[in-house]
Amino acid sequence: MGAEIRRPTSSPKHSPATPLRGGIPIKTLLSAKLKESTDAGPRTFTKAGVTWCIVILRLLGVSVAMVANITGRCPRTVRSTFKKWQEEGSMEKTRGTGKKRIIPDNVLRQFAKKVRREKSSSLRQACDTRMASVTTWWRGLKRASAARFVRRKSKAGYVLNRTHRMSRVKWCRAILKRASSIGRYLYLQRISFTDSKIFLTAELKPNGHWEVARGAEDSDTSDADSEGRSEGPARRAFRVHCYGGISWFGFTRLLTNISGTGNTVFEDIDAPEKRGVNAKEYQTRILPVLLKDLQAIFAKYGLKDKWIFQQDGARPHTAAAHTPLGKNCRSIIKKYAKNCWWTWPSRSPDLSLIESVWARMLQIMVEDGREYQTLADFEKHIQDVWKRLSADREYRESLFWGKDKSCLGTRQGFYGRLAACIAAKGGRIPK
């Protein structure tokens, strides 16, 4: 329809008989928009009609949860859609920036050389934001082992606002209260942690002579910049994407070289180690494996139906509960684990114990000082270190309970981290 809904000047609440433009009541316009949907059901609105239905239902005083249930959108989308209409008075979709999410390897090499040569203090000043976003350039620099020459906040360095702090404190208090009711030692034995990690050879020897590895047949290193790096032949720069889970009684198998159809920074996306993982692939190929392994570990100790599954707030893990992907994710988890931490505090990698395992693995790999000629060698070394830590019972217990102060980042244990977060009023846990 050609009718246009204008932004209200006083109160957003209107009655169904309130005329909008040309004497058309809200109820009449809503009925017209509902007719634009298909006959498959109430959740299959056309794209042109669903946004208007959100606005009209909110004007009628319908709650956000009810509007989300009717239109099949998440509550966050309902709020943002109605807020945008209130501020702008228009429901036209904003166009994308048109920036590429893929950077050709030759452009990436030239940019890495420029960053090494100039040693820019800020990534935003060094990169060309007209071609790609700052995040895309940062991922490319990590691949080209030139990220250490620029300054950018890490994941653990993101600013925690008041909402983040309050949610962290609330979550920590809830876990401590639950653990006290069951018994802290027994509760700790039921917890599991899962997460992913990208291992880069550049993290092991940052002062080495690295190059971007595109294939086994590519050995040209003539255009590599040698400024600020040690002398000697160029070493291959490899990247391995891993998924794993840990518990008091043992670790799961380590899934390495995860490939998928998620976002990537590189042009040659056929290489499996260069692709990301989306929600569907995570639920199909990764989540069931982790759940089966964790269930088998806890079943050996009589905790088959009592253990707790954890995953962080990464996008592939946190599909909205009312969407098909969200429902499928929850059904998979409930099939293997009856207990799960469905909500994980935002920007809180410091509360997860598996982050300490990744840090310990990097420390061991640096101490070993191996040279990697192929990607398989690098992957095999990662698997060996993972199995070594999994077999170390003393390390596992100190990781959760915090008795061994020699372990990297684990001197306080899990409960110590929660108490430190509460003492810091939701701030970062001091190391």
Side-chain angles (χ1 to χ4, degrees):
M1 292 181 63
E4 177 184 358
I5 300 181
R6 294 189 178 276
R7 179 163 49 99
T9 56
S10 57
S11 174
K13 294 185 179 180
H14 294 256
S15 64
T18 302
L20 295 177
R21 184 185 180 188
I24 302 177
I26 294 178
K27 188 174 181 180
T28 304
L29 186 56
L30 177 60
S31 301
K33 289 298 179 183
L34 291 176
K35 289 180 181 179
E36 295 180 5
S37 61
T38 62
D39 298 331
R43 290 181 178 270
T44 55
F45 298 110
T46 59
K47 292 183 179 179
V50 65
T51 52
W52 289 110
C53 289
I54 291 175
V55 174
I56 295 168
L57 290 171
R58 289 294 292 139
L59 289 175
L60 290 172
V62 183
S63 65
V64 173
M66 184 63 68
V67 174
N69 186 36
I70 293 174
T71 60
R73 301 297 190 270
C74 66
R76 182 181 298 177
T77 303
V78 173
R79 293 191 189 94
S80 61
T81 301
F82 187 65
K83 182 179 179 181
K84 180 180 178 182
W85 177 78
Q86 284 183 313
E87 294 176 352
E88 303 179 7
S90 172
M91 289 311 303
E92 293 183 1
K93 248 187 150 182
T94 55
R95 295 181 177 272
T97 59
K99 296 178 181 179
K100 297 181 179 180
R101 299 191 69 97
I102 299 174
I103 302 176
D105 280 348
N106 58 343
V107 177
L108 180 59
R109 290 192 180 201
Q110 294 297 327
F111 179 62
K113 289 177 61 177
K114 174 186 174 183
V115 169
R116 293 191 186 101
R117 181 173 60 253
E118 299 178 357
K119 296 183 179 179
S120 303
S121 59
S122 174
L123 177 61
R124 187 173 293 276
Q125 298 175 356
C127 66
D128 183 9
T129 55
R130 295 173 298 179
M131 177 179 178
S133 64
V134 177
T135 302
T136 305
W137 283 111
W138 173 257
R139 292 172 180 169
L141 286 180
K142 287 179 67 176
R143 173 65 176 170
S145 63
R148 65 185 184 277
F149 291 99
V150 294
R151 185 177 67 243
R152 186 177 186 269
K153 289 184 179 179
S154 63
K155 181 180 180 182
Y158 286 149
V159 178
L160 293 173
N161 56 31
R162 185 172 178 270
T163 304
H164 295 142
R165 291 173 177 268
M166 290 177 60
S167 64
R168 282 163 60 90
V169 171
K170 183 178 179 181
W171 186 85
C172 292
R173 287 176 176 172
I175 295 299
L176 289 176
K177 183 178 180 180
R178 178 63 176 169
S180 300
S181 63
I182 298 177
R184 290 198 171 187
Y185 191 79
L186 296 177
Y187 188 76
L188 197 61
Q189 292 181 340
R190 303 179 182 182
I191 301 174
S192 66
F193 295 92
T194 61
D195 198 6
S196 65
K197 168 68 176 178
I198 298 178
F199 286 94
L200 300 170
T201 50
E203 293 179 330
L204 306 180
K205 296 183 179 180
N207 295 324
H209 184 179
W210 302 98
E211 66 164 327
V212 180
R214 292 188 297 175
E217 71 281 357
D218 183 13
S219 59
D220 183 18
T221 60
S222 59
D223 59 343
D225 181 24
S226 60
E227 181 180 352
R229 292 178 288 181
S230 61
E231 298 179 357
R235 292 186 288 268
R236 308 293 293 174
F238 299 114
R239 170 186 182 273
V240 175
H241 189 190
C242 305
Y243 263 94
I246 65 172
S247 68
W248 177 282
F249 302 105
F251 296 175
T252 66
R253 76 187 84 172
L254 188 65
L255 305 178
T256 57
N257 260 348
I258 303 300
S259 62
T261 58
N263 294 332
T264 179
V265 193
F266 312 102
E267 192 173 36
D268 48 346
I269 60 176
D270 293 332
E273 71 275 12
K274 297 181 182 179
R275 305 169 99 180
V277 178
N278 57 27
K280 186 176 181 180
E281 291 162 345
Y282 171 74
Q283 297 172 15
T284 305
R285 298 166 38 239
I286 300 173
L287 184 60
V289 176
L290 297 178
L291 288 169
K292 288 179 182 178
D293 290 356
L294 288 171
Q295 187 186 52
I297 291 172
F298 285 102
K300 294 180 181 179
Y301 300 90
L303 299 173
K304 182 178 180 180
D305 299 329
K306 298 179 181 180
W307 64 285
I308 303 170
F309 178 73
Q310 179 271 345
Q311 58 182 359
D312 60 11
R315 287 189 177 183
H317 310 166
T318 55
H322 68 278
T323 61
L325 284 175
K327 293 179 180 179
N328 184 49
C329 181
R330 288 175 176 260
S331 64
I332 294 174
I333 294 175
K334 291 179 180 179
K335 181 180 178 181
Y336 298 96
K338 292 188 177 181
N339 305 294
C340 178
W341 289 338
W342 298 109
T343 57
W344 180 261
S346 302
R347 302 181 180 181
S348 302
D350 51 342
L351 297 179
S352 178
L353 295 182
I354 198 172
E355 298 293 338
S356 296
V357 177
W358 302 135
R360 179 58 179 164
M361 289 179 64
L362 281 175
Q363 189 182 50
I364 294 176
M365 294 171 70
V366 170
E367 293 173 355
D368 290 347
R370 295 187 185 180
E371 297 289 343
Y372 311 105
Q373 301 298 328
T374 62
L375 179 64
D377 296 339
F378 187 40
E379 182 179 346
K380 185 177 183 300
H381 191 200
I382 295 174
Q383 292 280 8
D384 293 342
V385 175
W386 176 263
K387 293 178 182 178
R388 193 188 313 174
L389 292 180
S390 178
D392 191 347
R393 177 181 177 181
E394 183 180 355
Y395 170 76
R396 297 197 313 267
E397 294 182 356
S398 64
L399 176 69
F400 281 79
W401 195 246
K403 293 181 179 179
D404 188 359
K405 295 186 178 182
S406 64
C407 296
L408 179 65
T410 61
R411 61 184 61 188
Q412 294 180 336
F414 180 60
Y415 294 135
R417 294 188 181 202
L418 302 183
C421 181
I422 296 174
K425 297 181 179 180
R428 295 294 175 196
I429 300 175
K431 294 183 180 182

